[in-house]
Amino acid sequence: NAVVQEWIDKAEGDYLTAMREADASPPNYDAVCFHAQQCIEKLFKALLTAKGTMPPKTHDLTVLDRLLSSICAEWYWPIEALRLLSTAAVVFRYPGESAGSEEADAAFGACKAIRTRLLELLRESNT
């Protein structure tokens, strides 16, 4: 499905951007948090699309998680990690708050783990 692949490609672009920003000198921790969340949001939307559900126009990973859980019995992830990513993407986008290395490490670590699981489910839904 071309739309599913486009979601995956966009998610992978965000993943690579988060990785580059984490390794940059100086790193942009706010961008790491934002792109980590964007990667997972887009992979959620890819899997929802692959399962025949039109993803809603939301950035809230907990909303996408509930929707995916209702149609994909194999999907489960602790809600705290999804909340962390959603919060990190929003809070650090505006003046007054900035991510540090700890927040960026937590967000990117969550992104890597969740990304691995979502990509496994996407591969399984393709076979």
Side-chain angles (χ1 to χ4, degrees):
N1 181 322
V3 175
V4 172
Q5 189 58 51
E6 191 171 356
W7 278 121
I8 293 169
D9 293 345
K10 287 181 176 294
E12 291 300 282
D14 282 307
Y15 181 78
L16 292 173
T17 299
M19 194 174 3
R20 274 193 306 273
E21 286 304 322
D23 291 338
S25 185
N28 182 340
Y29 295 128
D30 292 356
V32 172
C33 291
F34 177 75
H35 288 286
Q37 185 278 342
Q38 285 290 290
C39 171
I40 299 309
E41 177 185 329
K42 291 169 184 164
L43 288 175
F44 264 123
K45 291 178 177 180
L47 189 51
L48 286 166
T49 302
K51 297 277 184 190
T53 298
M54 177 68 116
K57 291 187 184 233
T58 184
H59 302 294
D60 187 337
L61 298 181
T62 63
V63 170
L64 296 170
D65 171 70
R66 277 193 304 274
L67 185 55
L68 185 58
S69 294
S70 72
I71 62 167
C72 181
E74 304 84 13
W75 169 252
Y76 170 78
W77 205 268
I79 202 74
E80 298 79 25
L82 300 171
R83 281 194 188 118
L84 174 126
L85 279 173
S86 287
T87 301
V90 174
V91 169
F92 301 128
R93 283 173 53 189
Y94 301 101
E97 297 286 339
S98 292
S101 63
E102 282 185 29
E103 292 88 355
D105 287 349
F108 195 56
C111 172
K112 286 193 274 192
I114 299 165
R115 172 182 169 266
T116 296
R117 182 64 182 137
L118 288 168
L119 287 173
E120 285 171 0
L121 292 171
L122 278 158
R123 275 192 297 279
E124 289 170 15
S125 74
N126 237 3
T127 55

